[in-house]
Amino acid sequence: MATYEGDGYKASDSAFLAGMSARKASVWAGAKATWETPWAELSVEWLRDASGNSGGRVVNLELETEFDVGASLEISPRVGVSMLDQRYVDYYYGVRLGEASLSRPVYAGRSARNYELGVRATYAYSRQHLFIFDASRTKLSQTITASPLVDRSSQAEFSLVYAYRF
């Protein structure tokens, strides 16, 4: 499997990043295994930076279950952990000696664990029309929040998808 993550940035993205070298987004390649039980689905995903930008590796574990709420609505809560190696954290959150300033000290990233809680709601309006809402909150590891580039301890993601089935 392969996925594209747009985690990169350029110095021109923010005045605070002035003097930083660009960090490129990467294509991640690896494998995923899923174990389905009657009550939940457990998945493990192993990825490495196939672009060679960070040279990092990521392992994701996720536990998800589904609840049918009526004939056309399904709610799927999940919990997960992402384990990021030192190369990943140092590349995206580190500050090298030549990039340091008074407001941005040198920072060498270490491996990290981020924890996620999320929920997906799938509504089948009809046989062809499907709406999917997904929301999640990720608690960032202390080794990431200690970076001078990070100003929050968590991040939220929301998406709304409309799908037409042929």
Side-chain angles (χ1 to χ4, degrees):
M1 74 169 290
T3 183
Y4 175 80
E5 294 290 333
D7 290 338
Y9 56 85
K10 300 180 300 238
S12 61
D13 289 345
S14 163
F16 183 77
L17 295 174
M20 294 284 296
S21 298
R23 304 301 199 269
K24 296 178 181 177
S26 294
V27 172
W28 294 83
K32 182 175 183 175
T34 302
W35 180 43
E36 293 186 30
T37 71
W39 54 272
E41 178 179 286
L42 176 66
S43 64
V44 61
E45 179 179 55
W46 178 86
L47 301 167
R48 70 173 192 80
D49 181 357
S51 303
N53 296 324
S54 71
R57 298 183 196 290
V58 175
V59 175
N60 297 312
L61 294 171
E62 185 175 273
L63 181 67
E64 180 177 36
T65 190
E66 296 176 357
F67 298 102
D68 288 326
V69 184
S72 56
L73 180 63
E74 183 180 275
I75 305 290
S76 303
R78 68 180 177 278
V79 61
V81 61
S82 292
M83 293 163 277
L84 316 169
D85 77 352
Q86 178 271 331
R87 287 181 179 176
Y88 178 102
V89 177
D90 192 48
Y91 182 76
Y92 289 109
Y93 301 103
V95 178
R96 300 171 188 142
L97 185 59
E99 300 170 330
S101 67
L102 290 176
S103 62
R104 191 178 57 227
V106 170
Y107 181 76
R110 299 183 321 270
S111 62
R113 281 191 194 119
N114 295 335
Y115 298 94
E116 177 193 21
L117 285 175
V119 64
R120 183 178 57 252
T122 305
Y123 176 68
Y125 177 73
S126 69
R127 193 171 158 287
Q128 280 96 12
H129 303 279
L130 191 67
F131 295 93
I132 304 167
F133 172 75
D134 192 273
S136 67
R137 185 155 212 58
T138 301
K139 170 79 170 97
L140 300 174
S141 171
Q142 190 278 330
T143 61
I144 291 175
T145 60
S147 168
L149 304 178
V150 178
D151 64 355
R152 60 186 60 148
S153 61
S154 66
Q155 62 187 30
E157 291 185 29
F158 301 94
S159 63
L160 180 62
V161 176
Y162 165 76
Y164 182 83
R165 293 187 245 190
F166 293 93

